[in-house]
Amino acid sequence: MDTFQRIKKIVLEKIDVQEDRLTPDATLEGLGLDSLDRVELMFSLEEEFKIKIPDREVTIVTIHDVVNVIDKLAEEQHGEV
Amino acid sequence: MKRVAITGMGVISPVGNRTTVFFSNLMTGKSGVRRMTSDFSSQLSVKIAAEADFYPADYFSKKQIGALDRVTLMALAAASQAWEDSGITLAEEEKNRAGVYLGTGMGGSPSLDELFVQLYKKAASRVNPLFVPKIMSNAPASHVSIRYGLSGPCLTFSTACSSSAVAIGESFRQIKSGYCDVMLAGGTECLLTYGSFKSWESLGVLATEDPEDPSASCKPFAKDRSGFVLGEGAALLVLEEMEHAQKRGAKMLGEIIGYGSAADASHIVRPSAAGQARAIRLALDEAQIGPDAIDYINAHGTATAANDLAETQALKEVFGKRAYAIPVSSTKSMHGHLLGAAGAVEFVAAVLAMTNGAVPPTAHLRVPDPDCDLDYVPNRGRTGVDIKTIMSNSFAFGGTNAVLIARAL
């Protein structure tokens, strides 16, 4: 499964949403996630991908942004995706 | 001073998740006590509990289930029943005068247990960021206030087994003294965790399992009583200032007329008949009625050797000879001890007794105790009873005694 599929799977476990709404340009806000939901989602993604998402402001608006951030951090933190 | 009406009720319990089912099960003596379904029960000597057949997916979205502890989910489910039962709607400007008071003994216990597993068993270096808002004891009350937009006072009372009786009594005072017009009041408890059972087991107050019928293990007031069975659940009531309720043609389930709150101030776990009697008298005084006016008492009746004796003595002290003429039952015999939620669930049972003209039994009372010789409505409920005024007792570890009195309208 690629990064995008793995992210979709986690999001589908957490919110009731049709899978076809989880497109790369879907925004987290548009999917109904508030700031607390985002924090919790980031934690789950950290666990899944074995990475640490830094506390500093990371710009994540869309699912595409999530994929990019994870791929980048996975490469930095353990040289693989 | 304002009058306080009860206009809606909701319950999640080991004997039913709707007030109709709840009460009809109590009347038939149906017990929600059973062999536990949890897998850790093999490591316990006490293997029985009063579990609520409550499935959050029936009521909530995945997001809600992920973000809220079971204790909050139960409170919200009970609140939603009570709100619907009352038929109430509030204009924006009325919401400032509507509050939420809930009682809970331990708050988000399931999440706390999960946290400890992650920390001590799995040596996690970081844990789920939602633990704080899930575990904090005020979460249930806050989520109820958020759900209905109630911006009056939102408080959580923690006085062990009398927590939700206190919450109801304090809500009564809020309305009576004119601070609020509407209160959602009650309690919730959900601590059927491994740590909880081990702790309670060690204290020696849990019932030994009845060898013939596990569901009959809790025997209040009986000679062969051996303690209580832990349960989980929630109950919420809509309390409303009387004129506010009348103006909108609300259905009136009853009126709260007295609340007695008094501490034993003697021992951290051993009950005091004197402390209990004091709370009963305070409630009667506020209600401005004498002992003759009470038609049914829902007892604290935990089935411990100490409580049932103390409570019997307290009732005799306050009611004198009249005590023998009042039906007194412990519905804990069927729904178990719901700890922080007990006061509310039992007050709901008592109000339902009033609206149905029926007295639920004390189940499993087959061997009478000569020292507990009142009319505990043994084994069989009674219908066709004229019940105008009820009393509900909650006497807690720590000594906070709370007594509520309500009358029919």
Side-chain angles (χ1 to χ4, degrees), chain B residues 241-379:
Chain B
E241 190 274 314
M242 188 66 72
E243 285 172 18
H244 186 279
Q246 284 165 342
K247 252 191 220 124
R248 67 175 186 92
K251 154 187 75 179
M252 306 288 196
L253 300 170
E255 178 184 4
I256 300 183
I257 55 175
Y259 163 49
S261 175
D264 282 347
S266 56
H267 194 276
I268 196 69
V269 295
R270 193 172 51 235
S272 147
Q276 296 178 5
R278 216 174 314 120
I280 295 171
R281 278 205 194 87
L282 285 168
L284 289 168
D285 288 346
E286 178 171 26
Q288 297 185 310
I289 59 176
D292 281 351
I294 301 290
D295 301 313
Y296 166 61
I297 299 174
N298 184 296
H300 185 58
T302 50
T304 59
N307 174 80
D308 294 1
L309 189 58
E311 188 165 10
T312 298
Q313 286 167 349
L315 291 174
K316 287 181 186 177
E317 199 191 299
V318 177
F319 293 91
K321 278 213 177 63
R322 163 93 187 137
Y324 289 89
I326 308 174
V328 178
S329 64
S330 167
T331 48
K332 283 187 173 77
S333 55
M334 296 171 279
H335 55 60
H337 193 347
L338 270 49
L339 301 170
V345 167
E346 291 161 27
F347 184 65
V348 166
V351 172
L352 289 168
M354 203 160 64
T355 56
N356 286 277
V359 173
T362 301
H364 323 128
L365 216 188
R366 311 225 174 261
V367 185
D369 177 352
D371 292 331
C372 295
D373 56 348
L374 301 178
D375 173 14
Y376 304 108
V377 196
N379 309 311

Side-chain angles (χ1 to χ4, degrees), chain A residues 15-34:
Chain A
I15 60 175
D16 295 292
V17 67
Q18 300 282 47
E19 191 171 342
D20 55 19
R21 279 195 60 202
L22 295 180
T23 60
D25 6 288
T27 65
L28 298 186
E29 201 185 324
L31 290 169
L33 274 67
D34 66 18

Side-chain angles (χ1 to χ4, degrees), chain B residues 13-206:
Chain B
S13 83
V15 294
N17 296 338
R18 294 217 74 89
T19 51
T20 43
V21 177
F22 169 73
F23 194 68
S24 87
N25 278 335
L26 291 181
M27 285 305 296
T28 56
K30 179 157 169 36
S31 170
V33 172
R34 63 185 182 210
R35 274 287 179 109
M36 258 185 266
T37 55
S38 321
D39 29 286
F40 56 71
S41 64
S42 56
Q43 297 167 73
L44 297 169
S45 23
V46 169
K47 299 180 194 294
I48 50 176
E51 298 165 323
D53 288 328
F54 170 72
Y55 305 104
D58 293 345
Y59 301 81
F60 303 103
S61 70
K62 277 187 200 147
K63 191 148 89 85
Q64 287 170 306
I65 295 171
L68 306 173
D69 186 278
R70 187 174 165 86
V71 78
T72 295
L73 295 170
M74 285 190 173
L76 285 168
S80 139
Q81 287 175 45
W83 195 259
E84 199 188 300
D85 189 31
S86 73
I88 193 171
T89 50
L90 291 176
E92 277 316 302
E93 62 274 12
E94 292 182 291
K95 292 180 180 176
N96 293 340
R97 290 184 52 81
V100 181
Y101 279 7
L102 291 196
T104 186
M106 291 289 292
S109 282
S111 297
L112 188 64
D113 194 69
E114 229 183 277
L115 168 65
F116 290 150
V117 167
Q118 284 189 25
L119 279 180
Y120 299 114
K121 202 164 166 193
K122 301 187 176 161
S125 57
R126 279 165 322 114
V127 298
N128 193 305
L130 292 185
F131 274 137
V132 169
K134 280 170 97 160
I135 293 169
M136 62 192 197
S137 297
N138 59 314
S142 292
H143 281 290
V144 170
S145 108
I146 291 166
R147 168 73 182 80
Y148 298 99
L150 307 180
S151 44
C154 176
L155 304 184
T156 300
F157 294 87
S158 194
T159 61
C161 324
S162 55
S163 300
S164 49
V166 166
I168 293 169
E170 296 298 325
S171 298
F172 159 64
R173 286 194 181 158
Q174 273 293 101
I175 298 175
K176 184 174 176 179
S177 48
Y179 287 104
C180 289
D181 296 319
V182 176
M183 295 292 291
L184 260 174
T188 178
E189 197 78 74
C190 188
L191 48 48
L192 303 185
T193 62
Y194 182 46
S196 194
F197 274 106
K198 275 285 180 195
S199 305
W200 281 103
E201 221 175 52
S202 308
L203 196 46
V205 290
L206 296 186

